[in-house]
Amino acid sequence: MSRSSSNKRMVLVGYPNCGKSTLFNALTGGRAKTGNWSGVTVEIKHGELSLGKDKDRLFDLPGITSLTHLSDEESLDSHLVHAFLRKDTPNVLINVIDASQLQTQLYLTMQLREMQVPMVLVVNMMDQIEKEGSVLDLEALAEKCACPVIPVVSTKQQGIDALRQAII
């Protein structure tokens, strides 16, 4: 199925509680419900994302931890995400990870890379890392993941312009 450049489907995907819905609101001007407990986003939300003159669709998927091992015991959230990604491959994956959970959440990032869809990696909650005095080598991460890596603090809308540019 071919799409024009002004009809892209972009998907926010990542672990539960990594800030996807807050980022979705920052990018779309939406008012999606956000919270720091599992099951807040139990449906797929979508909104319009304006990147220059283009009007694209941005989807906020429920949090998942893996693209594999889907069983009947998995949550409704996981089933929704798997079905969505199987049904129609997005033009761009926006993988959101919590900077303080980098090592754990990169497992999903590597699985997403296997989809061979252009991806932007958003390292969210950078303020928490800075508060701890830690430093992340984002250039090395971008090289290892073979995609742009954008540091963001979605609750303060920091890094949103850089993310928009990376998506373009």
Side-chain angles (χ1 to χ4, degrees):
M1 169 184 220
S2 109
R3 291 185 189 91
S4 71
S5 64
S6 62
N7 192 23
K8 290 181 185 158
R9 289 169 41 99
M10 293 174 251
V11 176
L12 288 167
V13 62
Y15 270 59
N17 303 319
C18 67
K20 291 180 308 302
S21 294
T22 302
L23 189 57
F24 175 82
N25 288 340
L27 289 168
T28 65
R31 294 188 183 111
K33 184 177 179 182
T34 63
N36 193 21
W37 60 93
S38 103
V40 172
T41 305
V42 293
E43 63 186 1
I44 297 171
K45 295 178 177 63
H46 59 88
E48 190 174 274
L49 176 60
S50 296
L51 298 171
K53 62 182 179 189
D54 293 339
K55 302 280 187 200
D56 300 312
R57 302 286 284 172
L58 180 64
F59 294 85
D60 179 18
L61 303 183
I64 59 168
T65 58
S66 173
L67 292 179
T68 57
H69 307 298
L70 188 61
S71 68
D72 290 339
E73 292 83 36
E74 294 286 333
S75 69
L76 175 60
D77 300 14
S78 294
H79 284 281
L80 281 171
V81 172
H82 285 81
F84 183 89
L85 292 174
R86 266 194 321 270
K87 181 181 147 200
D88 195 13
T89 304
N91 300 97
V92 178
L93 291 167
I94 304 168
N95 179 211
V96 183
I97 60 176
D98 176 343
S100 68
Q101 303 294 320
L102 188 71
Q103 192 168 11
T104 303
Q105 294 186 12
L106 283 174
Y107 175 70
L108 177 60
T109 302
M110 293 301 110
Q111 290 181 319
L112 292 168
R113 291 296 309 144
E114 291 174 7
M115 290 179 64
Q116 298 184 356
V117 172
M119 183 168 80
V120 175
L121 181 59
V122 176
V123 182
N124 195 17
M125 303 181 205
M126 287 296 294
D127 54 337
Q128 297 301 314
I129 292 297
E130 292 167 3
K131 192 182 294 184
E132 295 170 6
S134 299
V135 177
L136 297 179
D137 187 347
L138 298 179
E139 287 181 25
L141 184 59
E143 187 176 314
K144 292 281 184 192
C145 294
C147 68
V149 174
I150 308 299
V152 168
V153 180
S154 59
T155 56
K156 298 176 183 173
Q157 297 204 7
Q158 293 175 352
I160 301 301
D161 290 337
L163 175 56
R164 286 178 179 278
Q165 288 303 310
I167 294 169
I168 292 170

